[in-house]
Amino acid sequence: MRTDVHAHLWSEGYLRLLEHYGRQEAAAHRGLGAGDSAQDLEARFAMNAAAGIDHQILSVSPQGPYFADAGQAVTAARYANDHYAGLVRDHPTRFSAFAALPLPHLDPSLEELARALDELGMAGAGVTTDILGRSLGEPAFSALFEELDRRGGVLSLHPSGHDAGSPLIAAHRMRWMVGAPTEDTICAMHLILEGIPRRLPCLRIIHSHLGGALPMLLPRADDHLPWEAPDVVEKPTGAARRMWYDTLAHGHVPAVRAAAASYGADRLLLGTDFPYQSGRRLRRAVEFLAEALPPEQAEDVLTAGTRLIRRREA
């Protein structure tokens, strides 16, 4: 079974709730074909069939339920997870889902994680590369990672779309073309420098977009450790191979080859970013892997997400 680990779906109810809480950018996700209407779902399933995709793991990122008010965050997270659980019940062969968490509120997030995994049967948790501008490498989030490690769980990471905190990105129309992969890169390095992949070997972390620029930067990071981060035990080249990366590269064959050479092809998972890649682009997101990798490796990448789901079910 070919599984896409990077796909989105937002209900109108969820977007309205976010807007009610002041999230202005939520409106941008309407009208993209990523809703839950019968028409949207029928079109999605037809495009998936044409592309050779059997299954998608859904996430609400980048519209995560992150609010300073804990009550708002919990309400939004529970709404999203209950909605996804219903979709998975209705379409079990088509969908799985990553749980939304009411971050940065840790205790409610641990409670919602337990509910999502134990009661709703979700595939793991999905969060953004920063939480309201805070790094995931902060000690405040350690208990969440430790609980997922204890469970052998999956943590899917997606850019927040906040320009990596840089006005040089925000003011120059590069939020998603440059900002998003920059956020992927920064987040991955934060986790590596905090030693999280080494300390929590049962935690399965999935980065979007091949980890951004990480494949090109790993040897440089190794060489810079002695004077920038001399306390780090494991070199970035080794730590990076403990994590997983989706193949969203907009059909760019050299990017996938670089990631496979840097991490190992066994660390790559099919990702499409539906609905932002749909129709012809969705087909290309699958087909270009056969150009980038040997046939057996390409097929393993296409089905690797399925093995991830089954490991969670076991």
Side-chain angles (χ1 to χ4, degrees):
M1 183 170 72
R2 293 179 170 184
T3 295
D4 174 7
V5 303
H6 184 158
H8 304 291
L9 186 150
W10 298 281
S11 70
E12 178 61 23
Y14 182 67
L15 295 178
R16 285 180 180 172
L17 182 61
L18 296 183
E19 289 173 324
H20 177 67
Y21 291 156
R23 182 76 59 76
Q24 295 180 353
E25 64 266 31
H29 299 284
R30 289 191 175 95
L32 302 175
D36 61 347
S37 69
Q39 181 179 2
D40 276 354
L41 291 177
E42 183 178 351
R44 177 193 288 254
F45 296 153
M47 282 188 278
N48 283 346
I53 298 169
D54 303 306
H55 196 86
Q56 289 180 318
I57 309 181
L58 306 174
S59 70
V60 296
S61 296
Q63 291 301 314
Y66 312 136
F67 297 96
D69 183 279
Q72 292 178 346
V74 169
T75 298
R78 290 181 67 91
Y79 188 105
N81 293 334
D82 288 343
H83 175 245
Y84 272 176
L87 281 170
V88 173
R89 283 194 299 270
D90 292 343
H91 307 281
T93 63
R94 305 276 197 179
F95 291 140
S96 297
F98 291 125
L101 300 177
L103 294 166
H105 311 286
L106 186 59
D107 288 343
S109 291
L110 291 171
E111 292 174 9
E112 185 60 14
L113 177 68
R115 187 180 80 95
L117 298 183
D118 298 337
E119 298 178 25
L120 303 183
M122 302 187 90
V127 305
T128 50
T129 49
D130 68 88
I131 305 298
L132 302 181
R134 295 173 59 182
S135 168
L136 292 178
E138 288 187 15
F141 299 119
S142 294
L144 173 61
F145 294 150
E146 290 165 2
E147 176 61 11
L148 281 164
D149 179 71
R150 185 185 71 80
R151 290 172 171 269
V154 176
L155 181 67
S156 174
L157 303 176
H158 189 284
S160 66
H162 292 153
D163 309 299
S166 172
L168 294 176
I169 294 173
H172 296 277
R173 300 177 294 173
M174 299 186 295
R175 169 162 292 173
W176 293 105
M177 68 173 76
V178 172
T182 300
E183 291 177 344
D184 293 321
T185 309
I186 291 170
C187 180
M189 284 303 303
H190 282 182
L191 299 183
I192 287 171
L193 295 178
E194 291 301 320
I196 289 171
R198 181 185 62 84
R199 288 191 291 107
L200 303 175
C202 296
L203 168 60
R204 289 169 287 154
I205 299 171
I206 304 173
H207 295 279
S208 297
H209 314 116
L210 298 171
L214 198 63
M216 280 65 72
L217 298 177
L218 287 172
R220 177 183 177 89
D222 283 357
D223 287 349
H224 280 67
L225 280 186
W227 60 87
E228 285 200 280
D231 59 311
V232 174
V233 174
E234 183 173 40
K235 289 185 176 181
T237 49
R241 295 187 181 108
R242 297 181 184 271
M243 299 183 285
W244 284 261
Y245 308 83
D246 77 42
T247 58
L248 179 51
H250 298 269
H252 191 44
V253 167
V256 171
R257 289 177 176 165
S262 298
Y263 313 132
D266 62 328
R267 294 287 156 165
L268 304 182
L269 308 164
L270 172 65
T272 70
D273 202 17
F274 184 93
Y276 299 102
Q277 290 194 119
S278 58
R280 177 185 59 80
R281 289 189 177 91
L282 188 69
R283 295 193 297 274
R284 178 65 180 162
V286 176
E287 294 168 353
F288 91 115
L289 294 173
E291 301 172 26
L293 300 170
E296 289 186 6
Q297 286 186 356
E299 190 59 33
D300 282 346
V301 170
L302 292 169
T303 58
T306 305
R307 294 189 292 275
L308 177 145
I309 297 171
R310 288 175 176 167
R311 182 172 168 184
R312 161 66 191 155
E313 292 173 344

